[in-house]
Amino acid sequence: QVQLVESGGGLVQAGGSLKLSCAASGRTFTNYAMGWFRQAPGKEREFVSIIKWSGDYTAYTDSVKGRFTISRDNAKSTVYLQMNSLKPEDTAVYYCVLFSSVSGYYNRRPDYWGQGTQVTVSS
């Protein structure tokens, strides 16, 4: 099993920044990827960003490109999401996820989910 624990959410004004962290523990994988999904009130959960364990592949949903940056520290088994120029529409619960294999992640649901952390952006 894998445990994912998020931190760093909170309330911020539009234009501000937040940095989310997600620490992973438990079972290890060789070709995994970690990332973030989010769910806004009344909306479906959506993909935000992903990073391969090696750090040589990242992807973002269009609405956050140029504003959000994903990174990882393998020594700490931690993935980060730096969120800049936040907008009210970024308000959501952000979930850390882990794919046991990065192959075809865009066609699969993550294998593991964190509990989520609330991000609220006021206008």
Side-chain angles (χ1 to χ4, degrees):
Q1 276 288 21
V2 172
Q3 292 77 44
L4 303 174
V5 179
E6 304 101 332
S7 61
L11 173 64
V12 64
Q13 290 188 335
S17 298
L18 281 175
K19 186 174 184 178
L20 305 183
S21 301
C22 173
S25 61
R27 183 180 174 186
T28 59
F29 303 91
T30 56
N31 190 35
Y32 69 96
M34 293 182 69
W36 298 88
F37 278 61
R38 67 184 179 185
Q39 186 167 22
K43 295 188 177 181
E44 293 187 355
R45 203 168 290 189
E46 66 171 352
F47 167 82
V48 176
S49 182
I50 191 171
I51 184 167
K52 187 178 175 182
W53 69 273
S54 57
D56 60 357
Y57 175 82
T58 60
Y60 301 88
T61 191
D62 286 346
S63 62
V64 308
K65 285 180 180 177
R67 301 188 297 122
F68 290 11
T69 303
I70 193 169
S71 61
R72 90 280 179 265
D73 183 336
N74 289 347
K76 296 181 179 180
S77 299
T78 299
V79 64
Y80 306 97
L81 186 68
Q82 177 66 48
M83 306 185 293
N84 298 329
S85 302
L86 283 161
K87 305 175 180 179
E89 50 263 44
D90 294 317
T91 295
V93 177
Y94 283 71
Y95 296 90
C96 178
V97 300
L98 186 146
F99 291 86
S100 58
S101 172
V102 68
S103 299
Y105 75 89
Y106 38 86
N107 282 330
R108 297 188 292 111
R109 283 178 55 84
D111 297 288
Y112 299 94
W113 295 80
Q115 292 298 308
T117 185
Q118 177 71 46
V119 171
T120 302
V121 184
S122 63
S123 57

